[in-house]
Amino acid sequence: MSISYSDVGENLRKIVITGRLDIPGTDSVAAKLEALTAEPKKAVVVDLSSLRFLASIGIRSLIVCAKAVQQRGGKMALVVGDNSSVTMSLEATGVGDLIPVFKTAAEAERAAVA
Amino acid sequence: MGAVVNTTPRRDELTIAASGAEVRRASEWLSATCVRRDIPQAQAQQLEICLNEVLANVLAYGGSAALAAPIGLQLEVLCAAEAGEARMTVSDAGFAFNPLAVKMPPRPNTLAEARPGGLGLVMIRRCSDLLDYRREGGHNHFTFGTRWTRD
């Protein structure tokens, strides 16, 4: 399980999560994810394309972060690539209708900073 | 899907303790078993999502009896040449809880309306083709399953 980030300019933060966002995986990264999205970057892109599994506890964490970004006037977007497992989890919950989901990082970054 | 009715089911079983690490072990066991039983990838992913959510509910809401007792898992696979069905039953000693009796909340229209919790049951319902619940011998027995056809 790993979480890393890089900042692009003043307004964009890119976060990459790998491993499994199941119970133990989410427990190990949720606090860091919330801290990374709490900082005053307008746009946040979370790349889930290398995630092996996404459970509801992980989606819950993503929703909490997306709401925090929105409350300070920013946008959060997700990248899933061709990850069918993560896409299935997001579609099952309808979260993709609330947090924009893109196949590529470039699309997500454009949407987040728009 | 009538083609699988008369086939002999193949059963695999696992017993786990009630913990997050054990949920992951169950998930890995399920993935490996799905490969061994030739369950298509999409259906295997559906089963894995449901299993994680069912076990997460047991851990979160089953109470002390659920946490103290082992949790039984049984995967039953029926495969015919052109169709298949896989059913997973999770048996726990927690409070009586019928997930099928829970009314689903309306989907939020905006992120501001969204509440972080309550997604597990939504995922179980959307990722399964069959659901069943019974309370027997002081245990919850919750079954979820998926069906497929082959070209």
Side-chain angles (χ1 to χ4, degrees), chain B residues 1 5 7 9 21 49 59-60 63 120 123 126 129 137 151:
Chain B
M1 294 303 297
V5 170
T7 62
I49 288 170
L59 265 56
M123 293 174 82
R126 291 189 178 271
D129 298 318
D151 295 333

Side-chain angles (χ1 to χ4, degrees), chain A residues 20 22-25 53-57 59-60 63-64 66-67 70 84-85 88-89 91-95 97-99, chain B residues 20 23-24 27 42 45-46 48-49 52-53 56 59 107-112 114 116-117 119-120 122-123 126-127:
Chain A
R20 296 174 61 91
D22 54 6
I23 296 171
F53 185 74
L54 177 59
S56 68
I57 189 170
I59 295 175
R60 192 178 312 160
I63 290 174
V64 167
K67 286 169 81 86
Q70 187 181 58
S84 60
S85 174
M88 184 182 288
S89 292
E91 287 181 350
T93 55
V95 165
D97 296 335
L98 308 176
I99 308 172
Chain B
V23 173
R24 181 173 287 184
S27 203
Q45 289 172 343
Q46 287 177 280
E48 188 178 7
I49 288 170
N52 270 266
E53 300 308 327
L59 265 56
R107 281 198 176 196
N109 293 314
T110 66
L111 185 58
L119 295 173
V122 173
M123 293 174 82
R126 291 189 178 271
C127 292

Side-chain angles (χ1 to χ4, degrees), chain B residues 78-150:
Chain B
L78 298 99
C79 270
E82 296 176 354
E85 180 178 301
R87 299 169 176 236
M88 169 70 80
T89 298
V90 177
S91 302
D92 72 87
F95 296 127
F97 173 64
N98 180 0
L100 305 182
V102 177
K103 191 177 175 186
M104 290 294 99
R107 281 198 176 196
N109 293 314
T110 66
L111 185 58
E113 288 176 11
R115 295 182 179 180
L119 295 173
L121 291 177
V122 173
M123 293 174 82
I124 292 166
R125 291 194 182 187
R126 291 189 178 271
C127 292
S128 57
D129 298 318
L130 59 98
L131 293 170
D132 183 62
Y133 170 82
R134 64 193 161 86
R135 179 79 179 176
E136 195 174 278
H139 282 65
N140 297 299
H141 302 278
F142 184 59
T143 300
F144 52 88
T146 181
R147 298 183 176 115
W148 62 90
T149 56
R150 297 187 197 276

Side-chain angles (χ1 to χ4, degrees), chain A:
Chain A
M1 194 75 221
S2 76
I3 180 167
S4 59
Y5 77 98
S6 60
D7 289 335
V8 181
E10 290 296 311
N11 286 323
L12 174 63
R13 170 159 289 174
K14 300 195 287 187
I15 300 169
V16 179
I17 307 174
T18 63
R20 296 174 61 91
L21 278 182
D22 54 6
I23 296 171
T26 303
D27 283 349
S28 71
V29 301
K32 184 162 186 186
L33 179 61
E34 286 184 28
L36 287 174
T37 54
E39 291 178 21
K41 298 289 179 188
K42 279 274 186 192
V44 176
V45 170
V46 182
D47 190 335
L48 306 175
S49 59
S50 296
L51 206 60
R52 294 205 309 278
F53 185 74
L54 177 59
S56 68
I57 189 170
I59 295 175
R60 192 178 312 160
S61 181
L62 293 170
I63 290 174
V64 167
C65 294
K67 286 169 81 86
V69 173
Q70 187 181 58
Q71 280 165 6
R72 63 164 191 269
K75 285 185 196 167
M76 187 170 116
L78 305 176
V79 182
V80 296
D82 294 319
N83 192 322
S84 60
S85 174
V86 168
T87 300
M88 184 182 288
S89 292
L90 292 171
E91 287 181 350
T93 55
V95 165
D97 296 335
L98 308 176
I99 308 172
V101 178
F102 298 92
K103 282 223 167 198
T104 69
E107 291 171 299
E109 288 165 23
R110 278 196 296 274
V113 299

